[in-house]
Amino acid sequence: MKAVKIKDVLQNGATNSSCVVQGWVRTFRANRFIALNDGSTIDNLQCVVDFEALEESLLKQITTSAALELEGTLVESQGSGQKVELQVEKTTVLGASDPEKYPIQPKKHSLEFLREKAHLRVRTATFSSVMRVRSALAFAVHEFFQEEGFFYVNTPIITGSDAEGAGEMFRVSTLDPKKPALNESGEINYKNDFFGKETNLTVSGQLEAESYALGLGDVYTFGPTFRAENSNTTRHLAEFWMIEPEMAFYDLNDNMNLAEKFITSVLKKVLSRCEKDLHFLDERFDKEEKSKPQLERSPMGLLEKIKFVVENDFKRVSYSEAYEILRNSKPNKKKKFQFPITEWGVDLQSEHERFLVEKHFNCPVILFDYPANIKAFYMRRNDDEKTVRAMDILFPGIGEIVGGSQREERLDVLEKRIEEMEIDKEELWWYLDLRRFGSVPHSGFGLGFERLVQFTTGMNNIRDVIPFPRTPQNASF
Ligand code: ATP
Ligand code: MN
């Protein structure tokens, strides 16, 4: 008989039918009740063995974390809160385990402890839920863009241009680190390196995506991104996944509309597809919040927050308006901000973003028209000459989830900006070409996938929403 997934058994299993399941033992009670989980759903299947009929040696191998195949008959459940349970007739040990040495015991472990057991943590209810939601979100991302007529493009992971990420990039090299070939001035001679020039891991696929948008129309990337920024926060990884749509003929307004529609659409899909996991995570979130001091608690539950985002429009505010709000805010006047808001043009820190989202507006906020000096060279300059057509989307508990802009499509303005910012123009020859041959207004944004998973699952630390996190001083596994 072919094994079936526990999810199907619990959904469609008819009493008195035979069935085979395969999975890992979560718990084994009273020498009788096995809670079996195969990862297909958060729920375990209760399986009842007749220990008197089992050989002693077999019985001994039914332990937490062992892998079993169980064959038997589905019967009405006596009280496990499920419709059916499995009356086991045949037990096969697929992989025995040593429950004494198995690091994950059937009790609550801290997330920090589980990070050190990242190879086994997906066998817990919390991590399996998070990873199923992550997978559903990834699928919904592709679904959204495909349904909107976007094309999926794969931009390079090894990049030869460092225009975007000065200082934050991971070098890719096959030179001998002990004896790299040097040139006359004592610097590394990249001519001898694999690609004949300095190369790095990408920090963003945007520039390449722009080239494809100006031919395919609407495109998106969804791939890994690397940043060697030494920020040990709960929102930064050295390796993370980014979704970057890029649209020809879109202005900033179109861009904001798309971003909002995109986020609410994927959240809606996951709300209906991951009901069980989200319900579990919602309860988990509640417990976590209750253990925090009153003032730091989230005013809304997890499901409540997601529904709120889906049902309410994001608030759109220009940087200048936000600046006035912040300047006149209580924490600013009482000098409670670590970075006081003193003059127009300052970059907003996470404390300011959170004040706007969590205290002032109480909803997701799109900030737009930022000062040119705090934004990248490629953002389209406004007629006021001071601001650019940038937009950031700020989320409660997360801060920045999206960063985007309308791109500068005018060759002369773009060149001038590149010179002002002392960026190597030669490197960008192909990017400038895009402005020479049929340039059109276009826009795009980048959404950090893990930050979206964080928001949806209520996990506080970004290290807990990616299977094997990479952060400063940590690349185990
Ligand atoms: P932040 O200010 O939070 O560092 P950023 O301004 O550097 O973000 P962008 O360069 O605009 O971010 O990147 C686009 C999106 O990628 C961000 O809105 C965020 O969701 C995500 N992101 C950026 N850096 C990281 C990181 N180190 N780890 C995970 N996600 C990130
Ligand atoms: Mn950053």
Side-chain angles (χ1 to χ4, degrees):
M1 217 186 307
K2 199 173 170 300
V4 283
K5 291 288 181 190
I6 287 174
K7 183 180 180 190
D8 290 336
V9 175
L10 292 173
Q11 253 168 23
N12 314 314
T15 45
N16 295 324
S17 66
S18 311
C19 107
V20 180
V21 289
Q22 297 167 328
W24 295 268
V25 178
R26 282 278 168 82
T27 56
F28 184 38
R29 286 186 297 116
N31 267 354
R32 258 177 89 76
F33 303 106
I34 302 171
L36 197 75
N37 191 285
D38 67 359
S40 61
T41 166
I42 186 157
D43 292 322
N44 304 323
L45 178 66
Q46 164 137 299
C47 306
V48 188
V49 291
D50 178 1
F51 64 92
E52 280 165 359
L54 278 182
E55 271 176 53
E56 182 74 25
S57 63
L58 194 57
L59 189 64
K60 269 204 185 129
Q61 293 187 68
I62 304 178
T63 65
T64 298
S65 70
L68 304 180
E69 178 175 286
L70 301 173
E71 182 173 346
T73 308
L74 290 176
V75 297
E76 204 174 313
S77 181
Q78 296 308 311
S80 65
Q82 293 170 350
K83 274 203 318 252
V84 290
E85 60 187 37
L86 187 74
Q87 201 74 54
V88 178
E89 283 137 23
K90 189 174 162 209
T91 304
T92 314
V93 177
L94 299 176
S97 178
D98 182 343
E100 305 289 309
K101 292 198 180 132
Y102 182 59
I104 299 174
Q105 297 300 318
K107 62 158 198 178
K108 193 172 153 46
H109 290 291
S110 73
L111 296 170
E112 290 79 10
F113 172 84
L114 290 171
R115 255 169 246 152
E116 287 163 17
K117 316 286 176 217
H119 58 310
L120 294 169
R121 67 178 179 171
V122 74
R123 295 197 204 173
T124 64
T126 298
F127 282 94
S128 65
S129 289
V130 168
M131 293 308 156
R132 278 186 296 268
V133 172
R134 182 182 166 110
S135 165
L137 277 169
F139 181 63
V141 165
H142 281 293
E143 207 176 24
F144 173 83
F145 286 118
Q146 296 289 331
E147 281 170 2
E148 294 281 321
F150 282 58
F151 298 103
Y152 177 41
V153 301
N154 302 110
T155 48
I157 289 171
I158 298 175
T159 150
S161 89
D162 68 349
E164 261 240 83
E168 293 196 343
M169 301 180 102
F170 288 101
R171 188 176 306 136
V172 176
S173 172
T174 53
L175 291 176
D176 181 351
K178 287 194 221 92
K179 269 189 282 159
L182 301 181
N183 61 23
E184 284 130 37
S185 41
E187 287 155 352
I188 293 176
N189 184 2
Y190 287 105
K191 290 231 159 53
N192 293 343
D193 205 346
F194 189 90
F195 296 106
K197 63 179 295 198
E198 186 174 352
T199 48
N200 293 285
L201 293 178
T202 182
V203 294
S204 156
Q206 180 203 316
L207 304 189
E208 292 90 348
E210 280 186 53
S211 121
Y212 265 64
L214 297 178
L216 287 176
D218 300 331
V219 302
Y220 70 106
T221 74
F222 186 176
T225 316
F226 308 85
R227 294 193 185 176
E229 50 191 353
N230 212 342
S231 39
N232 248 314
T233 75
T234 54
R235 297 169 298 110
H236 289 90
L237 291 164
E239 176 181 292
F240 64 100
W241 288 66
M242 186 136 73
I243 298 149
E244 295 182 279
E246 195 66 42
M247 298 76 64
F249 316 108
Y250 266 53
D251 66 15
L252 189 71
N253 251 330
D254 302 324
N255 200 19
M256 292 195 273
N257 291 343
L258 180 84
E260 186 168 344
K261 186 175 172 195
F262 165 58
I263 295 176
T264 51
S265 152
V266 297
L267 289 178
K268 247 186 244 168
K269 288 197 163 129
V270 169
L271 271 178
S272 72
R273 291 172 185 170
C274 299
E275 232 176 313
K276 267 180 186 289
D277 289 319
L278 289 178
H279 178 72
F280 169 82
L281 291 166
D282 183 56
E283 288 186 342
R284 185 191 167 276
F285 184 80
D286 259 0
K287 279 183 218 141
E288 293 283 306
E289 290 299 310
K290 288 214 177 82
S291 69
K292 290 184 186 166
Q294 190 92 40
L295 272 175
E296 287 167 31
R297 275 181 215 167
S298 158
M300 284 189 218
L302 177 62
L303 280 170
E304 210 181 345
K305 268 202 303 181
I306 302 174
K307 285 180 187 148
F308 182 87
V309 167
V310 167
E311 285 159 13
N312 291 279
D313 289 345
F314 297 4
K315 179 82 189 166
R316 299 185 189 189
V317 195
S318 72
Y319 170 91
S320 297
E321 289 169 77
Y323 165 74
E324 285 303 329
I325 292 168
L326 288 166
R327 195 171 59 91
N328 296 314
S329 70
K330 251 198 211 152
N332 198 49
K333 290 192 162 152
K334 291 192 167 166
K335 308 224 174 336
K336 288 273 158 62
F337 284 141
Q338 195 188 338
F339 299 90
I341 298 286
T342 49
E343 55 184 323
W344 188 94
V346 291
D347 202 356
L348 302 184
Q349 305 293 328
S350 151
E351 57 180 348
H352 309 128
E353 298 177 344
R354 295 190 69 157
F355 174 83
L356 290 170
V357 174
E358 288 160 30
K359 296 272 172 345
H360 190 83
F361 289 113
N362 276 311
C363 70
V365 173
I366 311 185
L367 288 186
F368 62 92
D369 283 353
Y370 278 81
N373 287 342
I374 57 171
K375 288 291 183 186
F377 74 91
Y378 49 70
M379 298 189 177
R380 193 179 197 282
R381 187 158 285 235
N382 280 311
D383 293 340
D384 66 7
E385 297 285 321
K386 275 168 36 192
T387 58
V388 288
R389 305 242 75 194
M391 64 114 174
D392 279 6
I393 303 186
L394 314 177
F395 256 44
I398 306 283
E400 180 185 331
I401 191 163
V402 162
S405 66
Q406 183 172 333
R407 318 307 187 189
E408 183 57 76
E409 85 283 13
R410 299 162 296 185
L411 180 63
D412 54 334
V413 183
L414 185 59
E415 283 187 315
K416 192 164 153 256
R417 190 66 188 144
I418 289 174
E419 280 155 22
E420 275 169 14
M421 292 177 81
E422 294 177 13
I423 295 166
D424 186 357
K425 208 163 126 188
E426 300 297 300
E427 286 279 342
L428 287 168
W429 66 272
W430 62 272
Y431 188 72
L432 291 168
D433 257 6
L434 301 174
R435 276 71 183 166
R436 287 191 183 100
F437 308 115
S439 187
V440 295
H442 61 288
S443 302
F445 61 85
L447 175 138
F449 184 53
E450 282 74 20
R451 294 206 186 158
L452 180 66
V453 183
Q454 259 190 294
F455 176 76
T456 317
T457 58
M459 299 302 280
N460 182 50
N461 196 316
I462 197 164
R463 293 166 173 84
D464 297 327
V465 300
I466 188 163
F468 298 101
R470 268 83 184 93
T471 50
Q473 298 299 312
N474 172 38
S476 312
F477 305 98

